[in-house]
Amino acid sequence: MELLKDLFDFLKTRKKFWMIPLIVILLFFSFLIILSGGSAIAPFIYTLF
């Protein structure tokens, strides 16, 4: 959690607010990859793409 706090402090001080959507999208896709690794939900995720 400290990594996320440091990341958002960096974004706030450097005024890099445009990076927030990129980070959210990357986190979403990484969550999908982890979830589809070996679960029963994998066929439903593959149909989205």
Side-chain angles (χ1 to χ4, degrees), residues 31-44:
F31 177 71
L32 278 179
I33 289 170
I34 291 170
L35 185 66
S36 68
S39 67
I41 303 174
F44 300 111

Side-chain angles (χ1 to χ4, degrees), residues 16-31:
K16 303 277 186 188
F17 298 117
W18 57 271
M19 290 181 72
I20 293 173
L22 296 175
I23 293 170
V24 169
I25 289 171
L26 286 174
L27 287 174
F28 175 71
F29 280 124
S30 63
F31 177 71

